[in-house]
Amino acid sequence: MGFILPDAADVDSPLKFDELQVLRAQYEKEGYYVGVQTKFNYAWGLIKSSTRNEQQEGVRLLSDIFRNAPERRRECLYYLALGNYKLGNYAEARRYNDLLLDHEPANLQASSLRGLIDDKVAKEGLMGVAILSGVAIAAGVVGGMLFKGARRR
């Protein structure tokens, strides 16, 4: 319970190149025996990146911590939710966030993130419906033109 979680907006504030390099150098220096905190810090820095490959690597590192460090699972749930949210993996983001909320229903950061995820899903769902509607209308127009052309012959 003693962890202070960042607001969801923090995920959109990338580290400066030099700051990420410091985390990367420490991670690489520790090599095979990398500590959980070092890996965690580097993973969070990667998730905050503007580069999708780095974000994916950050989620992969956090998943590894989640599997292998039971004492960090609660903290990892939120960061995995944030990472997947940033990557656009909203179902995964919701799954991790809901697991956290199951254990901590009053968690304000997780509740806020739930709202952001729901908003993105609704927005993208509406965009999908609009795109499908546009395709259906275009198909109808083309079909109508073809049908009219076939009747004239």
Side-chain angles (χ1 to χ4, degrees), residues 7 46-47 60 101 116 131 140 153:
D7 290 327
L46 289 170
I47 287 171
R60 188 192 68 71
L101 285 168
L116 291 173
I131 290 169
R153 291 182 188 175

Side-chain angles (χ1 to χ4, degrees), residues 15 19-20 22-24 26-27 30 34-48 58 61-62 65 72 75 79:
L15 297 178
E19 293 170 327
L20 186 57
V22 168
L23 295 174
R24 180 177 286 125
Q26 183 63 37
Y27 175 79
E30 292 182 26
V34 66
V36 173
Q37 188 63 49
T38 299
K39 186 185 274 190
F40 185 89
N41 293 344
Y42 182 48
W44 179 230
L46 289 170
I47 287 171
K48 290 174 60 110
L61 291 173
L62 281 175
I65 295 169
R72 297 298 290 264
E75 190 177 9
Y79 286 88

